Amino acid sequence: MAETINRYGGDAEVLHLPDIGVYGNTHFLFEDKNNEEIADIIDRWIVKKGLGG
């Protein structure tokens, strides 16, 4: 899906959490026990994209 989004001018990335050492998450990332870790990852991505800070 990210490939298609990017093909049409979007800026999508796929991040497989276990690849960066984050385990045990469900589809409800902000309800999981490590929700602050997930928020930090998303915040860093937002800053990297120049969308906030």
Side-chain angles (χ1 to χ4, degrees):
M1 180 173 216
E3 189 176 303
T4 300
I5 291 168
N6 293 334
R7 186 178 316 125
Y8 289 96
D11 186 10
E13 293 180 38
V14 174
L15 174 62
H16 188 66
L17 293 175
D19 290 348
I20 62 167
V22 178
Y23 298 93
N25 288 87
T26 67
H27 291 285
F28 302 100
L29 298 174
F30 286 102
E31 292 183 16
D32 289 329
K33 291 183 179 182
N34 65 347
N35 60 41
E36 289 185 23
E37 182 178 9
I38 298 300
D40 289 342
I41 292 167
I42 292 171
D43 187 53
R44 286 192 302 269
W45 181 86
I46 289 170
V47 170
K48 180 176 109 177
K49 297 296 179 176
L51 301 172

